[in-house]
Amino acid sequence: MDEKALHDEQRLMRMMRKTLTSIVRDTAPRDGNPSPLTEATVLGIKDCLMVISSRETELAQLTGRTLDERPRFTDETPTSHSVKISSIPKKTH
């Protein structure tokens, strides 16, 4: 597959995942009311989300990306920093 096709498929997977999770969020039971979705529908949504997640993982591997990437603002200060172990002085007891 070429890069554009992979990018388009990643976009499609993201759109489907967001749409399904929005449907679940919008139809979540509130105030003690039963869910409007049948158990079969809930299982179908779970299965779809698992397939989408699996394909997103495959696409990430094909494009050399990791799934732990998160958006960051360029002016955002990092929440952590690395320290070389060799720069830590040894304690003498």
Side-chain angles (χ1 to χ4, degrees):
M1 280 186 137
D2 65 339
E3 285 294 317
K4 182 176 177 356
L6 288 175
H7 177 71
D8 289 345
E9 189 174 353
Q10 284 175 322
R11 194 171 136 250
L12 177 66
M13 291 292 123
R14 189 170 38 252
M15 288 170 50
M16 290 190 322
R17 178 176 36 85
K18 286 182 178 184
T19 301
L20 280 174
T21 54
S22 292
I23 291 169
V24 169
R25 195 176 308 111
D26 290 347
T27 59
R30 290 178 177 83
D31 302 326
N33 295 328
S35 174
L37 303 176
T38 65
E39 189 64 30
T41 302
V42 171
L43 290 176
I45 290 172
K46 286 180 182 180
D47 289 342
C48 287
L49 289 171
M50 286 186 355
V51 170
I52 290 168
S53 175
S54 175
R55 185 59 183 155
E56 284 179 326
T57 302
E58 291 172 1
L59 290 171
Q61 290 172 347
L62 286 173
T63 58
R65 301 176 98 183
T66 62
L67 292 176
D68 60 350
E69 295 175 349
R70 298 289 181 252
R72 264 190 51 227
F73 293 106
T74 55
D75 62 343
E76 180 180 329
T77 57
T79 57
S80 63
H81 64 281
S82 61
V83 177
K84 291 184 180 180
I85 293 179
S86 61
S87 69
I88 300 173
K90 292 182 179 181
K91 289 185 179 179
T92 55
H93 295 286

